[in-house]
Amino acid sequence: MPQVLIVDDDSNVRSLVKTILEMSGFQVRTCPNGNDCVSLLGLGVSPRSAPLDYVPDLFILDYEMRGVNGFELLRRIRQSDQLRKVPVIMMTATTKEIRELVQFDVTFFLKKPFDTEELLGSVQKAIPGFDPAKVEPAKRPEIKLEIERGFDPAPKPAHKPPARPAHEISHRNLKIPPAGRAEALTGKGQEPRKPPARPPEPPRSAQRPPEPPRAGQRPPEPPKAQRPPAPPRLPEKEAGAASRDLDLNLRQLIMRAGDVAGLLGNQYADWSSDADKPQLMSIAKEFSPLIKVVDEIMAEGISRGASDIHLEPQPTALCVRMRIDGLIQPVFELPESLSTRIAARLKILANLDISERRVPQDGRFSVEGPDGRVDFRVSTLPSIHGEKVVLRLLRQSGQDLTWESLALGPRDRGCIDAVLGTPQGLVLVTGPTGSGKTTTLYTMLKSLNTPYRNIVTVEDPVEYEMSGITQVAVYPEIGLTFDKVLRSFLRQDPNVILVGEMRDLETAEIGLRAAVTGHLVLSTIHTNSAPATVARLISMGIKPYLIVASLRVIIAQRLVRLLCPDCKEEGALSVEEAALLSHQEKAELARVYVSSGCKNCSKTGYAGRKSIFEVMPIESAAIKKAVLDGSEEQILQQAKQEGMVPIRVGALELVKSGATSPNEAFKILLGH
C-alpha cells in the first residue's frame, strides 16, 4: 500500500486531501507544519546518508508555511540520500517566479483551489503505477470544485478548460472554508447538494499529456501553441519617447541575458552546502526571463565597476541605479511588476526568508566573475512601494593592494612604515563611508602578513578574504559582538589585530589597551580629519592619557574623481567657488579644467578615482601635549608645523594639476 506524507498548515486542506487519498487506497500521514515534518523524518540532526525510520512513497507539500516553508523543506528532503528520488507534489498559490525557482526538483504542481480529479491526476503522474480509474466511484468522495464554489460567487465556465503545462500554471489564493466546514464539503451529516446542470463537456483527446520532468531533468520543449508567454515588457504609453526607451532597455536586457552564463559562469557559491551548488547552477541555467534579468543586472554592475547596485521600487517602475566611482547614477528601469519577483530571486540567492517583507534583512552570496570571485552583500528595506534591495559588490580578486596603488607621498609613506615596523601601537584610519579605508587597512595587513606573525581580524562583515590570517565576522544576533571577539583575541596570542570599526566606548577601550600591551592594532573611525579624531575619542569617553600612550598615527583619507582625459577642457572658477577660496588659493588656481562628458565616461565627465591622504603621527612631545590639552585647532597647527599636508591642500593640488575639477574638489573642502 503506497504511503503518502501530507505537510500543510491548514487543517482543512490536510483533512480533505487525506480523505481522498485514503479512500483511493493510500496509507496517509500528515504534519501540521514544516518543522514537525523535519522532526518526523529526522532531517534536522541525521546525516544525509543515515537510514530513516519512515520513507514515504510520495510527498505532498504546501509552499507557504510558517517556519520551514515548502521550498526549505524540499531542499532538506533532496539532501537525504533515501528521500532524494521520492516524488514531490507542491501545493501552491504563490507567484509564478517561485514555481520557476523550484520546478527543477518538483514532480508536479497542484494549483489551489483544486478538485478530486486534479488531485488524483497529479498523484497518478507522480506515481505511475497508481490508476484512479480502478478505485470504485462509490468509495471516492466527489468534491470537484465545491471548495471554490462555496466561496466564489463568480459563475463557472460552461466547460472545463484543458489542462495546461506546468510552466503556464498561474496561482490564486487558496479558497478553503474555515474550521468546521469540512463536513459540508464532503457531504457528511447532511443531504448532498445537487450540482447545477452543466452542458456536456467536449470530448477529450486520446493523446496522453506529457509527464512533467523529474528531478534533475530538463523540462521538455512545449509545443508552439503552448509556449510560455514572452518575457515581460513595459507597455507602450502615449507618453512617447520615455516609455519607448524603457521598453527598449528591457528588451535589450532580455536579449543580452543569454550571454550572462559566459560572463558569470553561473558558479554561485556560499549556498547551504556543496551538494546544493549543482542544483543552484541548474536554476541559473533555466530559461526563466526573471533569472536572466537578475543575472544581467549583476553582470552589468560587475562590468561597469560599480560598488553598489540599487533596486528601488517606484509607483510605475523598478529603478536600477549603480554607484560608480562614488556617484550613484541611473542605469535603466524595469516594469514595476518585476519588483517583488526580483527581490524574491535575490533573497533565495542570499538564503533569506522570501516570505518576510515587513522587516529589513541582510545576507550575502558569491558569483564567479570574469576576473575572479565577487561577493554580493544583500540588504533589503521595506518601503511604501515594495522592498528596496541594495547589493554591495566586493571583488575578492583583482584588488591591487599595493603601496603604489595608494599613491602615498614619501613623507606619508615613511610615517606609516615607521609605525608598522613597531611591535605595538594603534593605527587609526578615518574618513566617510566609501573613502577607501578598508583598502588602506588591508594594504597594511598585506605588508605585515608573514608566517612569523599571528594576525586576527574582526569585521562587520569581512570584506576581503586574505590567506594566512584569521578573520572573524561579528554576529550580534547570537551575541558575537566586537568587544566579545576582541576579548577572545587577547587570549589567542596575536601580534596584529584589525578591528573593523571602533563604534562604542567598550570596543575602543579594549583596542587602545591592547595597543599598549604588546599588540599592533589597526582600526577605523568616522571623523572629518585627523585632528578631529582625537576629539572624537575623548567624546566617546577615552581618557587623553590612554590616547597618548597607545595612538601612533592617524590617517585621514578621501577619494576624488578624476576628469575624463578624452573630454576635459580648460575652464574657469565660478563666482561661488571663488568665494570659498583665499586670495593665495585663487591666484594658484588661475587655470582649471572641467569636463562636459563623452561616451567614454558615460556622459559623467569623470573616469577613475584617486586617494588624498592626511597623515598625522603622534610621536613628538609637542603633538602629545596638544592631544592632552584636547584642542583640535592646536593639534592641527602643530601637525602642520611637523609636515602634515591637510586634505584641503591635497584636493586643491589635484585641481591645480588638472587632474580633477573645482566642483569635485569643493565636495571635499565643504565636508572637511
Side-chain angles (χ1 to χ4, degrees):
M1 181 179 296
Q3 299 189 42
V4 180
L5 179 60
I6 303 170
V7 186
D8 197 305
D9 56 359
D10 191 310
S11 59
N12 290 313
V13 176
R14 294 197 309 271
S15 175
L16 290 171
V17 176
K18 181 180 180 183
T19 301
I20 295 172
L21 295 182
E22 284 181 341
M23 298 185 71
S24 299
F26 287 94
Q27 184 177 350
V28 182
R29 297 182 68 170
T30 63
C31 287
N33 52 61
N35 293 319
D36 286 3
C37 180
V38 170
S39 301
L40 172 65
L41 300 175
L43 299 178
V45 295
S46 301
R48 299 182 179 184
S49 58
L52 302 178
D53 297 331
Y54 174 66
V55 178
D57 299 297
L58 173 65
F59 286 100
I60 300 180
L61 311 178
D62 183 33
Y63 180 79
E64 291 186 344
M65 295 185 292
R66 295 181 181 272
V68 178
N69 61 19
F71 179 80
E72 174 65 18
L73 185 56
L74 173 67
R75 188 178 64 83
R76 298 192 186 189
I77 289 173
R78 294 311 184 206
Q79 289 178 350
S80 172
D81 293 340
Q82 288 184 263
L83 302 176
R84 184 168 298 157
K85 296 183 180 180
V86 176
V88 174
I89 295 176
M90 183 75 76
M91 299 186 296
T92 177
T94 54
T95 51
K96 183 179 179 181
E97 74 276 4
I98 302 302
R99 175 170 52 80
E100 292 174 343
L101 292 173
V102 300
Q103 66 181 357
F104 70 98
D105 236 355
V106 173
T107 308
F108 192 79
F109 281 90
L110 189 60
K111 181 186 64 173
K112 295 180 179 178
F114 52 84
D115 58 18
T116 305
E117 184 179 353
E118 290 173 333
L119 173 62
L120 295 179
S122 64
V123 173
Q124 183 183 20
K125 292 179 180 180
I127 305 178
F130 167 69
D131 186 0
K134 295 181 180 180
V135 182
E136 297 181 16
K139 295 183 178 181
R140 199 169 60 203
E142 291 296 337
I143 295 179
K144 293 187 179 179
L145 292 178
E146 293 292 338
I147 295 176
E148 188 174 4
R149 284 203 299 269
F151 290 84
D152 187 1
K156 298 299 176 235
H159 63 274
K160 185 177 177 180
R164 293 181 293 172
H167 59 265
E168 291 186 0
I169 297 178
S170 61
H171 300 277
R172 299 191 297 268
N173 292 329
L174 178 62
K175 296 178 182 178
I176 296 290
R181 294 293 300 277
E183 293 184 357
L185 301 179
T186 57
K188 296 180 180 180
Q190 64 177 358
E191 292 292 327
R193 286 184 287 183
K194 195 172 184 179
R198 297 184 183 181
E201 295 183 0
R204 298 184 180 180
S205 173
Q207 184 180 1
R208 186 176 180 178
E211 292 189 2
R214 296 287 182 180
Q217 293 182 353
R218 199 173 200 174
E221 183 73 11
K224 290 185 178 181
Q226 297 180 351
R227 283 186 180 275
R233 297 172 50 183
L234 264 183
E236 290 284 351
K237 298 182 179 180
E238 295 181 359
S243 63
R244 286 196 294 272
D245 289 343
L246 297 180
D247 181 62
L248 179 61
N249 286 336
L250 180 60
R251 285 189 282 109
Q252 290 176 342
L253 187 67
I254 298 297
M255 292 170 60
R256 292 167 52 198
D259 299 328
V260 178
L263 179 60
L264 296 181
N266 287 327
Q267 300 293 323
Y268 291 92
D270 286 351
W271 197 243
S272 57
S273 64
D274 292 337
D276 290 326
K277 290 179 183 178
Q279 297 176 355
L280 197 61
M281 290 169 61
S282 299
I283 294 176
K285 293 176 182 177
E286 289 290 334
F287 295 100
S288 167
L290 170 72
I291 296 175
K292 292 180 180 180
V293 169
V294 175
D295 284 350
E296 178 61 21
I297 291 173
M298 294 189 295
E300 190 75 13
I302 294 174
S303 64
R304 292 194 181 206
S307 61
D308 301 87
I309 301 175
H310 293 246
L311 302 160
E312 302 170 331
Q314 299 298 326
T316 58
L318 174 65
C319 299
V320 180
R321 300 195 295 169
M322 298 182 183
R323 188 175 295 277
I324 303 171
D325 289 338
L327 179 68
I328 189 168
Q329 50 191 275
V331 180
F332 45 73
E333 291 185 351
L334 299 175
E336 185 273 336
S337 59
L338 292 181
S339 175
T340 303
R341 304 178 184 182
I342 290 177
R345 168 65 175 163
L346 292 171
K347 283 183 178 181
I348 288 176
L349 289 177
N351 207 14
L352 301 178
D353 185 359
I354 62 175
S355 63
E356 180 57 74
R357 303 175 184 175
R358 300 166 299 175
V359 296
Q361 297 187 70
D362 296 289
R364 67 187 303 163
F365 63 91
S366 299
V367 301
E368 284 294 332
D371 298 322
R373 200 183 82 181
V374 180
D375 286 347
F376 285 83
R377 281 166 45 191
V378 182
S379 175
T380 69
L381 181 68
S383 70
I384 60 174
H385 299 301
E387 283 186 290
K388 175 181 178 180
V389 182
V390 176
L391 306 177
R392 168 65 61 90
L393 282 68
L394 303 172
R395 294 163 178 81
Q396 298 300 323
S397 59
Q399 290 292 334
D400 193 11
L401 300 176
T402 61
W403 292 111
E404 290 75 18
S405 65
L406 296 182
L408 285 159
R411 182 259 179 192
D412 295 343
R413 172 72 186 278
C415 294
I416 295 174
D417 284 343
V419 174
L420 297 182
T422 60
Q424 68 180 42
L426 173 64
V427 177
L428 281 180
V429 182
T430 183
T433 301
S435 59
K437 301 187 296 296
T438 303
T439 301
T440 300
L441 286 177
Y442 269 88
T443 301
M444 298 181 195
L445 279 188
K446 186 177 180 181
S447 66
L448 293 170
N449 189 13
T450 68
Y452 308 103
R453 285 192 179 97
N454 178 21
I455 302 177
V456 290
T457 75
V458 52
E459 305 168 71
D460 182 23
V462 175
E463 297 194 7
Y464 299 122
E465 294 184 12
M466 184 177 291
S467 60
I469 66 178
T470 302
Q471 298 173 278
V472 179
V474 298
Y475 196 2
E477 289 80 1
I478 62 173
L480 191 66
T481 56
F482 276 105
D483 55 303
K484 288 188 177 181
V485 175
L486 271 176
R487 291 192 185 94
S488 299
F489 278 176
L490 298 179
R491 296 188 288 271
Q492 292 283 320
D493 186 32
N495 299 107
V496 181
I497 300 174
L498 185 147
V499 184
E501 182 183 350
M502 290 190 171
R503 301 180 177 180
D504 50 53
L505 173 61
E506 193 168 10
T507 302
E509 280 187 337
I510 298 173
L512 268 67
R513 293 187 185 280
V516 298
T517 56
H519 308 89
L520 183 61
V521 180
L522 313 177
S523 188
T524 69
I525 195 170
H526 288 285
T527 59
N528 291 329
S529 64
T533 303
V534 175
R536 170 66 175 151
L537 291 173
I538 294 175
S539 67
M540 290 174 63
I542 303 296
K543 302 299 182 183
Y545 72 86
L546 186 58
I547 299 175
V548 171
S550 61
L551 192 56
R552 290 291 174 265
V553 66
I554 303 173
I555 306 169
Q557 68 178 85
R558 298 290 190 279
L559 284 175
V560 180
R561 292 188 299 164
L562 302 178
L563 288 170
C564 174
D566 297 320
C567 59
K568 76 174 184 179
E569 55 189 14
E570 191 170 343
L573 289 171
S574 66
V575 177
E576 293 80 6
E577 292 168 345
L580 298 173
L581 299 174
S582 64
H583 292 291
Q584 181 179 354
E585 291 172 339
K586 284 188 288 187
E588 293 176 352
L589 299 179
R591 188 175 67 172
V592 297
Y593 289 86
V594 295
S595 178
S596 57
C598 63
K599 64 178 182 179
N600 295 327
C601 59
S602 300
K603 301 295 183 179
T604 62
Y606 298 91
R609 292 189 291 180
K610 179 181 176 60
S611 298
I612 303 176
F613 293 95
E614 182 179 272
V615 180
M616 187 179 77
I618 312 295
E619 297 294 341
S620 67
I623 197 75
K624 289 183 178 180
K625 182 178 183 303
V627 171
L628 288 173
D629 293 340
S631 172
E632 183 177 338
E633 182 62 28
Q634 185 179 349
I635 296 173
L636 174 61
Q637 295 302 324
Q638 182 61 39
K640 290 168 65 175
Q641 291 179 13
E642 295 181 3
M644 184 189 79
V645 178
I647 285 180
R648 178 186 180 90
V649 175
L652 293 178
E653 284 294 328
L654 289 179
V655 177
K656 182 179 178 180
S657 65
T660 191
S661 66
N663 181 56
E664 181 69 14
F666 275 98
K667 291 179 182 178
I668 295 175
L669 301 185
L670 294 176
H672 186 58

